[in-house]
Amino acid sequence: MSVHDTSGTPDRDPGETDLQASITHAIAHAIEHDQLVLHYQPILDLRTDSVHAYEALVRWNRPDVALVPPAEFIPVAETSDLICRVGAWVIDRAARQLADWNNDTGNRRLIVAVNISGRHINTPRIRDDVAAALQAHDIDPGQLVLEITETVHIDEHAMDHLNELRGLGVGLSLDDVGTGHNTIDQVSRLPLDSIKIDLTYIDPTTPALRETLQQLVDVAHSLGLAVCGECVERDDQLALLRSLGVEAAQGYLLGRPTTAQELDGRLSRQEPPAGEPPSGES
Ligand code: C2E
Ligand code: MG
Ligand code: MG
């Protein structure tokens, strides 16, 4: 698969490589031509054993190409302010989807979490993008959670922006805690409501890893933060989360990311999301 075709009219940044420029322009073209799509992955509330939230994950539906995963274009978008346009599109589309689900189900408590780059958080426009989406789609601010991954350094202005976002009433979560990008130090520094811990490398049968997880959970809880364990693929990982008093879980064991259309029927019938077969997402 190639994401390197040039589309649209180039508008060069000095220092940008030809390859980067062509990918950047192809992504800008994708936003303008409505080629981005969101898939939604269920998040299980372990206290009630019900799905209370979905994480919106972007994909690029390139014509004549298999669905492009975010790892193949988000890092390029993050090298320029293009990531803010991607983020604004994601926030608006997720808010619109929430409004549709609110209308269809009459349930205004469902939460959608979106991923926001540190680069977008560093700009004052993050507040405007969130406020515009909340107003345009008339959703409760508490229904929207911003997941922050610090692949781009969060600067000193970001703290003000995060506090403004909290003032709007949206939830803030730190993604990928413990993976190297987001350290335990960040957890105490940022104004957060929750953290997500990636369980990919957490094997419950290894005491040292279990210990690490326990420490992360304890620090979060001591700061009053809820914890979600993600990338849960096995029953023993889920059992470990429960034993540590973790509030939420997400992963292929509980349901794969899927389209909004696929979820519409389940939400209106109040069915729990079924785990899809490994090749289920495309
Ligand atoms: P993330 O936010 O940590 O999202 C979780 C990733 O893990 C998703 O990959 C999801 O499909 C995958 N995953 C979920 N459950 C399991 C599991 O049980 N096992 C395994 N192995 N993986 C699982 P995806 O959708 O490819 O997204 C990758 C990353 O791309 C995201 O990590 C996030 O950092 C970034 N991303 C996705 N959508 C957006 C977006 O709209 N904006 C930005 N800025 N970044 C995004
Ligand atoms: Mg995330
Ligand atoms: Mg994550």
Side-chain angles (χ1 to χ4, degrees):
M1 167 178 26
S2 165
V3 293
H4 303 152
D5 303 343
T6 306
S7 305
T9 312
D11 179 17
R12 301 284 303 259
D13 273 352
E16 203 176 32
T17 65
D18 283 345
L19 182 62
Q20 221 172 25
S22 73
I23 301 173
T24 299
H25 292 161
I27 299 168
H29 180 268
I31 301 171
E32 282 152 22
H33 293 81
D34 220 19
Q35 291 176 1
L36 298 184
V37 286
L38 292 179
H39 283 194
Y40 295 87
Q41 186 176 29
I43 302 175
L44 188 73
D45 185 330
L46 295 177
R47 295 161 300 188
T48 60
D49 269 337
S50 62
V51 172
H52 70 299
Y54 288 87
E55 179 175 2
L57 295 154
V58 75
R59 279 93 180 83
W60 180 359
N61 196 4
R62 280 200 96 176
D64 306 322
V65 179
L67 210 59
V68 184
E72 293 194 24
F73 62 96
I74 290 292
V76 180
E78 280 181 330
T79 62
S80 74
D81 286 346
L82 182 61
I83 192 62
C84 303
R85 286 180 62 197
V86 174
W89 181 90
V90 168
I91 292 165
D92 182 74
R93 192 53 61 97
R96 191 165 99 186
Q97 186 59 61
L98 262 170
D100 287 350
W101 283 334
N102 284 348
N103 285 334
D104 293 349
T105 66
N107 170 12
R108 288 184 74 94
R109 289 197 307 272
L110 191 69
I111 290 168
V112 169
V114 295
N115 292 281
I116 299 297
S117 163
R119 189 169 184 133
H120 196 174
I121 299 285
N122 288 346
T123 74
R125 69 170 281 187
I126 182 63
R127 187 198 174 281
D128 300 338
D129 289 338
V130 170
L134 293 176
Q135 195 180 18
H137 303 292
D138 187 29
I139 57 162
D140 179 344
Q143 290 189 278
L144 191 65
V145 169
L146 309 188
E147 290 188 10
I148 305 150
T149 303
E150 199 206 22
T151 48
V152 177
H153 177 67
I154 295 177
D155 67 23
E156 68 275 13
H157 303 295
M159 202 61 86
D160 293 340
H161 305 151
L162 291 172
N163 283 318
E164 284 175 7
L165 288 164
R166 280 194 114 192
L168 288 177
V170 299
L172 298 179
S173 184
L174 193 65
D175 210 345
D176 304 331
V177 172
T179 59
H181 284 309
N182 289 323
T183 59
I184 203 73
D185 178 50
Q186 294 283 65
V187 174
S188 49
R189 198 170 68 87
L190 301 173
L192 300 168
D193 301 289
S194 61
I195 64 166
K196 295 184 84 169
I197 302 175
D198 188 326
L199 261 69
T200 304
Y201 302 106
I202 306 283
D203 178 354
T205 58
T206 308
L209 290 175
R210 230 175 35 213
E211 183 93 347
T212 306
L213 180 62
Q214 170 123 43
Q215 282 167 1
L216 285 174
V217 172
D218 288 349
V219 170
H221 283 169
S222 71
L223 293 165
L225 308 177
V227 178
C228 175
E230 66 173 342
C231 291
V232 177
E233 295 184 352
R234 302 187 339 229
D235 286 323
D236 60 353
Q237 292 174 319
L238 188 61
L240 177 63
L241 293 176
R242 286 188 196 279
S243 73
L244 294 175
V246 166
E247 286 78 8
Q250 176 183 358
Y252 294 165
L253 182 70
L254 305 161
R256 287 188 169 251
T258 188
T259 61
Q261 294 93 303
E262 177 92 6
L263 288 172
D264 284 342
R266 289 182 203 161
L267 282 170
S268 58
R269 292 193 303 274
Q270 303 286 307
E271 281 178 17
E276 292 164 22
S279 59
E281 199 202 349
S282 64

